[in-house]
Amino acid sequence: MLRSSQPLTGPNRKRCREDEMLLGTVLDEGERGFIIDTRSDQAAKQARMTGGGTEPKSSYPQWKRLHRPLERGRPLQESFIKLVEACNDTSINMDRWLSRLESSRWLSHVKAALSTACLAAQCMDREEASVLVHGAEGTDTTLLVTALAQVILDPSCRTLGGFQGLLEREWIEAGHPFHLRCARSAYSHARLKQEAPLFLLFLDCVWQLSRQFPFSLEFSERLLLTLFDNAYASAYGTFLCNNEKERCLCKVKESTHSLWAWLNQPGEKKKYLNPLYSHNALVIWPSVEPQSIQLWQGLFFRWIRSSQYLDEAWAEIQRLLEGN
């Protein structure tokens, strides 16, 4: 699996021989690969006017391009805001609640992200083909798809340590601009142009996987909630800045503590483990049917509904398993 930003073909359809040679070396003679573009075909064409574009088939004959548009900017942020507002409004009746949930379109974004990740995983697992994923800059929906596909395909990414490594590699080191995307929250009256909950969407998709495959992920929902909290407000430096260059200039590693170091302390680590976990070497294919995608109540209802009884149930399960 490969990831990149968009090719800079521009309106004059410029070629980059080095890129063509690089992708050509990925495939043996007679093999084919898939390019999954997370923009719509129309958006990719419009990007040519500002220097971007797509891979022309004539220059990449062994690669087949597939467009799977995913929202990454203002529409996604507005969807998040509408959902949070609906969840916090306890005065509405059932019909009104369901209407507002649907109009927020948040679950549609979850479905689209999982569907695209499944497509990438299927190309690799069933077609045994190489896959290149990209969007515009390659630091938003691109990372969403590649990270989810790895959780689906690779059992090591479903362990606590492996999942931390995945986040470090596919989100932090790959340059997801956390400072811009998570500058505020759904409660803020400011509407910053660069803000969008891409990382939250990823965590929600992972939660959907954990719900559909409750024995296959070593970590629990509590880890996902902790990651969400720390992406928006943290005492640690792990999610600071927008890329590695900024972190180096700000000396983040020298001046702050790592979230991973804290999570991996023996006393803390056990709080984030799934007591039902059993190693599963198989690929986990999630259902993306409407009835299979559910609202992440543990996150979106956490401020209006206590999780006391659920926490107590998990603690009891853990105690019983340790007793055996």
Side-chain angles (χ1 to χ4, degrees):
M1 179 178 285
L2 309 167
R3 50 174 162 76
S4 72
S5 58
Q6 64 182 320
L8 303 180
T9 56
N12 297 324
R13 296 179 180 271
K14 293 182 294 184
R15 295 179 65 176
C16 179
R17 304 288 184 180
E18 292 82 3
D19 280 357
E20 294 169 18
M21 187 181 300
L22 180 63
L23 287 189
T25 59
V26 172
L27 306 176
D28 293 330
E29 187 175 351
E31 286 186 337
R32 63 171 182 164
F34 294 92
I35 297 172
I36 298 179
D37 195 326
T38 59
R39 304 166 296 174
S40 66
D41 186 34
Q42 184 62 31
K45 289 177 180 177
Q46 289 175 347
R48 286 198 199 124
M49 305 313 296
T50 55
T54 58
E55 295 84 356
K57 189 167 182 58
S58 58
S59 302
Y60 300 87
Q62 290 178 267
W63 294 84
K64 180 179 181 180
R65 192 172 70 249
L66 306 171
H67 288 275
R68 292 295 184 273
L70 297 174
E71 295 288 359
R72 69 185 185 97
R74 180 65 63 84
L76 189 61
Q77 178 68 8
E78 292 296 332
S79 175
F80 177 38
I81 291 169
K82 288 179 181 178
L83 176 58
V84 169
E85 289 176 345
C87 291
N88 288 342
D89 187 352
T90 57
S91 64
I92 55 177
N93 59 31
M94 178 63 76
D95 290 340
R96 180 63 177 151
W97 154 247
L98 293 175
S99 175
R100 290 182 66 175
L101 175 62
E102 183 179 9
S103 65
S104 76
R105 299 195 66 247
W106 181 260
L107 295 184
S108 297
H109 297 310
V110 172
K111 172 182 167 62
L114 282 172
S115 297
T116 306
C118 283
L119 173 63
Q122 286 171 350
C123 290
M124 296 181 67
D125 182 67
R126 296 178 179 176
E127 300 289 331
E128 297 185 346
S130 296
V131 175
L132 167 64
V133 184
H134 70 65
E137 288 81 26
T139 56
D140 289 295
T141 51
T142 301
L143 307 183
L144 174 66
V145 173
T146 57
L148 281 175
Q150 288 177 70
V151 176
I152 291 169
L153 289 170
D154 188 353
S156 69
C157 291
R158 299 176 219 142
T159 65
L160 181 61
F163 190 65
Q164 291 175 26
L166 176 74
L167 297 181
E168 187 72 28
R169 179 178 69 249
E170 295 298 314
W171 288 91
I172 297 170
E173 293 177 355
H176 180 65
F178 281 97
H179 177 67
L180 289 173
R181 300 293 183 262
C182 304
R184 299 180 185 270
S185 71
Y187 289 99
S188 172
H189 294 293
R191 295 292 186 265
L192 301 181
K193 185 178 180 181
Q194 298 286 342
E195 192 164 9
L198 265 301
F199 187 61
L200 167 58
L201 182 58
F202 167 71
L203 296 177
D204 197 327
C205 290
V206 174
W207 178 82
Q208 303 288 338
L209 291 171
S210 72
R211 192 189 60 79
Q212 293 188 28
F213 300 92
F215 305 107
S216 296
L217 276 66
E218 187 185 25
F219 49 88
S220 66
E221 179 188 42
R222 185 170 183 175
L223 175 70
L224 301 177
L225 293 172
T226 299
L227 291 169
F228 165 74
D229 290 339
N230 280 272
Y232 280 89
S234 180
Y236 302 91
T238 303
F239 295 116
L240 288 180
C241 303
N242 293 311
N243 50 54
E244 283 295 291
K245 180 181 179 180
E246 288 187 11
R247 280 185 280 274
C248 288
L249 290 173
C250 295
K251 297 183 178 179
V252 168
K253 290 184 178 179
E254 295 85 350
S255 306
T256 67
H257 294 286
S258 167
L259 174 63
W260 312 135
W262 173 64
L263 288 177
N264 290 324
Q265 295 178 94
E268 290 293 325
K269 184 177 180 179
K270 64 181 182 181
K271 299 177 183 177
Y272 301 96
L273 294 175
N274 172 14
L276 301 178
Y277 173 69
S278 177
H279 177 74
N280 178 7
L282 301 175
V283 177
I284 54 174
W285 297 111
S287 169
V288 293
E289 294 301 318
Q291 58 268 38
S292 299
I293 306 295
Q294 293 189 11
L295 181 66
W296 185 5
Q297 297 182 33
L299 173 67
F300 294 110
F301 288 163
R302 67 193 295 202
W303 293 282
I304 62 171
R305 191 176 68 186
S306 172
S307 62
Q308 174 189 348
Y309 299 115
L310 185 60
D311 293 340
E312 290 175 351
W314 276 110
E316 181 63 16
I317 291 172
Q318 199 157 24
R319 187 186 67 78
L320 291 172
L321 290 173
E322 289 174 352
N324 291 332

